[in-house]
Amino acid sequence: NETWDVNGRKQCDDVLRMVYLATKSADDTRPCIDTSGNFHVQTDIFDVHDYNQDVASFSANYAPFGEGGELYDRFKNRQTYDGKMPVFISEYGGIGWTTDPSGWGYGNNPKTPEEFIDRFCGLTAAILNNPNIMGLCYTQLTNVEQEQNGLYTYAREPKFDPAIFRAVLTQKAAIED
């Protein structure tokens, strides 16, 4: 997950390729992602992580891809989307909602429950309405330690009515047409 070339620690592409090939030799019936989120080497699914909290710019970034254009990718200098693999937004959202001053979420925390829900709905719609994106995974279902960006608390209590999220996430996605 999210291998980074930082602080002198570089991703070893040959090791990733070897693990991918070993995985596929053990079971070639299932798709395999080499490194989730960025710096793909050899993969069956091209996934990205995007924590942009601004619904308008998030939507604008992926709109051209939905119309047959290029996939928005912050790491074009390090990986290449071949235009054929399925695309998966495997981490998005991470909207912070907490009363714990030591907790955090991505971007500026919403000020009201309505703002949280509107942001969640807008980010999710941008993915679901894109006919070229095959899946999504919201970060995250529950709060974990200092990350207070779950839809549920650390104690697994809903922060908001779960029916809201169910209604949004069970909509037919554009790729299903």
Side-chain angles (χ1 to χ4, degrees), residues 13-127:
D13 291 352
D14 291 337
V15 169
L16 276 176
R17 187 174 293 106
M18 186 171 39
V19 170
Y20 169 86
L21 293 170
T23 302
K24 293 303 279 189
S25 70
D27 183 351
D28 67 354
T29 66
R30 297 179 183 159
C32 179
I33 299 175
D34 57 353
T35 180
S36 181
N38 56 304
F39 298 3
H40 289 292
V41 178
Q42 188 167 354
T43 189
D44 298 325
I45 298 172
F46 197 91
D47 74 321
V48 297
H49 298 176
D50 191 336
Y51 288 107
N52 181 348
Q53 296 291 302
D54 181 74
V55 172
S57 67
F58 184 89
S59 299
N61 287 341
Y62 294 101
F65 182 63
E67 297 164 2
E70 251 186 77
L71 172 64
Y72 171 74
D73 183 5
R74 296 174 305 151
F75 302 110
K76 284 183 182 181
N77 62 327
R78 185 67 171 76
Q79 62 187 6
T80 304
Y81 174 64
D82 68 4
K84 298 174 188 164
M85 288 178 278
V87 172
F88 176 30
I89 309 299
S90 59
E91 289 187 22
Y92 82 102
I95 306 165
W97 186 263
T98 183
T99 57
D100 178 356
S102 66
W104 61 272
Y106 291 95
N108 296 323
N109 288 355
K111 306 222 182 332
T112 66
E114 294 76 23
E115 187 182 341
F116 182 102
I117 292 164
D118 286 348
R119 188 182 306 174
F120 176 87
C121 291
L123 295 171
T124 304
I127 300 169

